[in-house]
Amino acid sequence: MRPSAMAQPGSRKYRYTRGVNVPGSTIGGVEMREAEFGIEELLLLGRLLNAPTGRHGEQNVSIWLAQELLKVRDKEGQQRALAANPAQIRFEDQRGRHNIVVKARQMGMTTWVAGRFFLKTITARGVLTAQVAHTREAAEAIFRMVQRFWECLPGNMRDGCLRRSRANVGQMVFPALDSEFRVLSAADESAGRGLTLQNLHCSEVSRWPGDAMATLAGLRAALSPDGEMVIESTPNGAHGCFYEEWQQALERGTVQHFYPWWLEKGYVSAAAKRPREDELSLMSGSGLSADQVGFRRGLEASYRGLRVQEFAEDAELCFRSTGECCFDMEALEQRLASVHEAVESRRNAALRIWLPPIAGKEYLVAVDPAGGGSDGDYAAVQVIELASGVQCAELQQRIGVLELARVAASLGHEYGRSPGQGAMIVVERNNHGSGVLAHLSMGEPYAWLYEQAGVPGWLTSASSKPGMISRLGALLVETPWLFLSKNLLEECRTFVSHPGGRTGAANGAHDDCLMAMALAHAVRAERLETGSRRGATR
């Protein structure tokens, strides 16, 4: 479907083909009027869209067809043809069957993928396309955009081969093709279940609610073996489903795409004067203009620590810079680069040991309990040497309270000061901790349990937690060599401030090893202050 020499883009007279006429070439060219366009012509276009390269001659079919058929509203609210911008053109040139896109804000990728998949849905038989947004409101906005695609098609197509039998909020069905386009919300945990998808677009995955990994796994399982998938998002910290997907992309055979903010031509401001060294580096290395550097300075003033995340410049740094982390990110990155694997592992690598016990030294075993079960939180145990505070061993495993009590007692005996004197065990008594303490006190009771005000265990509360986290943060900066576990440091990187002043693991991340270590150092500080074994039951 190419405008003829007499019909310019936007006119209603086209040259179509039974082999489709595209820019620069003719394949069995058959000239026909708009009213004669039908199913067979759509299917011919679909075969070109689905070709491995997506090209015919020198022309990218998706880019050409989107501009010919699809309409969008621009940032000024005006309706215009969907003409590919630089980021969208780059995506079309580099895309594969499975794709993941890290992008700056407002690069138009959601719009482009919606348009491409809409075209694939209306040019093939038996196609089911699903776009999955991070909220119901976002899903509704995407569907309104797809609705506009259909409404702006030539009238003979809407009334003929692309007449819809169903068009409610989130779904449109084309019975002549037996094809369907759906827009879903990741807030619906059953999204995609029971479907067989040919096209899957997952939008703003870094902000999906709930168990995003489980939701994405269900959707991926619904994708047909030869289906096309695009996962895209702005970054939202070095944690969670989207970050893990980016890290594992090469292993999965997924094509990685990164689009920095300066690909959007509208991101300019007053020209910057006297560029700094980092700005000169961008101007020489990435070709930024003084106007773009001026815009960047405005971002620094408005977004501060979140600038590198919201307006990405580097595919790795954009994940690291969350602006919400409770710990010093530079210190964490430096320490992560220098830690080594444990010298010994047990329990299928759930228990890792860096420093075995040394006779005569005193150790502390800190326990952060969990309920166990395959879908529950992890339980965690940290063993530190009392005098130095250095990390010696770490357990992170989904186990019940009885098994956790047994493991903690075993480590307590192993790291005991002498055969008759075990290490002190401190158990966070919140929630499941009471069960661990009960098991440690029954049968053959463990003799060296920490007590707080005469009650076994440590109570983490709204008043005690800030001090625990602050102490750990200071140690990470002042004595980072104390920490040997990559798991622990990764959890520190994803421990963030939440609305209302609460702190905890970011969505999709964990903080079990972190809280066990914070507990260990809180009790260590208390023990060093008193200079005794005060707090032990015996």
Side-chain angles (χ1 to χ4, degrees):
M1 182 173 54
R2 168 67 176 164
S4 70
M6 299 178 292
Q8 299 302 312
S11 73
R12 284 305 189 192
K13 183 177 180 181
Y14 301 97
R15 179 189 295 167
Y16 299 106
T17 85
R18 291 201 176 270
V20 185
N21 187 32
V22 297
S25 66
T26 300
I27 306 175
V30 175
E31 187 168 347
M32 53 179 68
R33 307 288 295 207
E34 176 187 344
E36 298 175 281
F37 196 83
I39 290 287
E40 292 305 315
E41 286 71 35
L42 283 175
L43 297 178
L44 287 168
L45 287 170
R47 285 195 281 276
L48 289 175
L49 279 171
N50 287 311
T53 64
R55 306 183 75 84
H56 188 81
E58 295 300 314
Q59 179 68 36
N60 183 289
V61 179
S62 294
I63 291 175
W64 165 67
L65 194 56
Q67 183 159 1
E68 291 297 323
L69 284 184
L70 303 183
K71 298 289 190 295
V72 294
R73 289 205 181 279
D74 60 21
K75 293 178 181 179
E76 287 72 42
Q78 301 300 310
Q79 188 167 281
R80 61 170 178 79
L82 178 52
N85 65 28
Q88 294 163 349
I89 292 171
R90 185 179 296 186
F91 174 79
E92 279 300 316
D93 286 341
Q94 299 172 349
R95 62 175 169 78
R97 190 165 59 85
H98 291 176
N99 306 272
I100 184 167
V101 181
V102 175
K103 60 186 178 61
R105 296 180 62 182
Q106 298 183 355
M107 302 299 288
M109 289 311 301
T110 298
T111 299
W112 183 257
V113 178
R116 170 173 168 75
F117 281 179
F118 177 78
L119 290 172
K120 291 189 68 177
T121 305
I122 64 171
T123 58
R125 294 188 187 275
V127 167
L128 177 53
T129 295
Q131 285 195 275
V132 187
H134 62 300
T135 64
R136 289 183 174 85
E137 291 77 13
E140 291 171 3
I142 290 174
F143 189 78
R144 286 195 295 272
M145 178 169 58
V146 177
Q147 174 78 0
R148 185 176 295 111
F149 291 158
W150 182 84
E151 290 175 347
C152 294
L153 290 173
N156 74 301
M157 298 173 75
R158 295 195 314 271
D159 297 332
C161 53
L162 295 181
R163 181 187 294 274
R164 301 180 301 186
S165 64
R166 185 179 307 153
N168 52 30
V169 176
Q171 182 182 23
M172 59 176 68
V173 177
F174 306 100
L177 291 165
D178 190 26
S179 292
E180 182 178 348
F181 197 109
R182 294 190 186 187
V183 182
L184 311 171
S185 167
D188 180 0
E189 295 181 357
S190 63
R193 294 192 184 278
L195 303 177
T196 299
L197 304 172
Q198 283 68 47
N199 305 301
L200 173 62
H201 174 206
C202 301
S203 177
E204 287 301 328
V205 176
S206 70
R207 289 163 174 79
W208 279 13
D211 191 341
M213 289 186 180
T215 303
L216 182 58
L219 289 163
R220 183 181 269 119
L223 187 67
S224 66
D226 59 347
E228 183 175 338
M229 179 174 69
V230 179
I231 300 171
E232 53 88 3
S233 186
T234 51
N236 188 26
H239 58 82
C241 177
F242 186 64
Y243 176 70
E244 294 298 326
E245 287 290 323
W246 179 260
Q247 295 298 109
Q248 297 170 14
L250 295 180
E251 181 181 337
R252 291 179 179 270
T254 301
V255 180
Q256 290 179 313
H257 307 264
F258 173 69
Y259 303 125
W261 61 266
W262 54 76
L263 289 180
E264 170 52 54
K265 63 181 181 180
Y267 286 157
V268 293
S269 185
K273 299 179 180 179
R274 295 186 294 276
R276 306 187 305 258
E277 183 176 345
D278 62 316
E279 295 169 341
L280 288 171
S281 178
L282 283 172
M283 293 174 80
S284 62
S286 301
L288 266 67
S289 67
D291 292 346
Q292 289 173 311
V293 172
F295 177 80
R296 185 175 186 264
R297 289 184 179 181
L299 295 177
E300 290 173 340
S302 301
Y303 288 86
R304 305 196 181 203
L306 287 173
R307 174 187 63 81
V308 181
Q309 173 181 292
E310 297 296 312
F311 291 85
E313 297 181 350
D314 179 271
E316 294 301 322
L317 184 60
C318 66
F319 284 108
R320 303 287 188 254
S321 304
T322 80
E324 299 176 342
C325 182
C326 295
F327 300 105
D328 186 285
M329 290 293 290
E330 184 176 353
L332 286 170
E333 293 300 325
Q334 290 177 355
R335 186 56 187 156
L336 269 166
S338 62
V339 294
H340 301 287
E341 293 298 320
V343 298
E344 181 185 354
S345 62
R346 306 173 190 167
R347 301 181 66 87
N348 293 322
L351 174 59
R352 297 169 292 275
I353 297 172
W354 289 269
L355 299 172
I358 298 174
K361 287 188 176 289
E362 190 171 356
Y363 297 88
L364 190 146
V365 179
V367 182
D368 180 44
S374 60
D375 297 324
D377 291 331
Y378 289 100
V381 178
Q382 297 286 0
V383 181
I384 66 171
E385 195 263 314
L386 191 65
S388 65
V390 69
Q391 183 181 26
C392 300
E394 175 183 86
L395 170 78
Q396 185 184 36
Q397 192 173 18
R398 289 186 173 101
I399 53 176
V401 293
L402 175 58
E403 183 65 13
L404 180 59
R406 289 172 176 166
V407 175
S410 176
L411 287 169
H413 288 301
E414 182 177 353
Y415 280 86
R417 195 167 193 173
S418 65
Q421 183 176 330
M424 176 184 284
I425 295 179
V426 53
V427 179
E428 185 187 59
R429 68 173 183 261
N430 307 54
N431 303 318
H432 299 288
S434 58
V436 176
L437 288 165
H439 287 299
L440 286 170
S441 302
M442 293 167 59
E444 185 178 342
Y446 190 85
W448 301 279
L449 291 177
Y450 172 86
E451 286 186 350
Q452 193 177 53
V455 180
W458 169 281
L459 181 65
T460 300
S461 64
S463 59
S464 65
K465 184 177 179 180
M468 296 166 65
I469 299 304
S470 295
R471 180 179 291 104
L472 183 60
L475 291 171
L476 284 163
V477 173
E478 296 167 6
T479 54
W481 54 268
L482 294 177
F483 307 102
L484 306 176
S485 165
K486 182 180 179 181
N487 279 15
L488 169 66
L489 296 169
E490 291 281 5
E491 286 189 1
C492 291
R493 195 164 61 181
T494 59
F495 193 82
V496 299
S497 298
H498 293 284
R502 184 176 63 86
T503 59
N507 186 35
H510 298 278
D511 61 8
D512 319 281
C513 294
L514 182 157
M515 290 307 301
M517 184 59 76
L519 173 58
H521 278 283
V523 174
R524 172 178 178 260
E526 182 183 282
R527 290 285 305 283
L528 294 178
E529 183 180 345
T530 62
S532 70
R533 287 176 64 85
R534 183 181 71 82
T537 57
R538 230 183 258 187

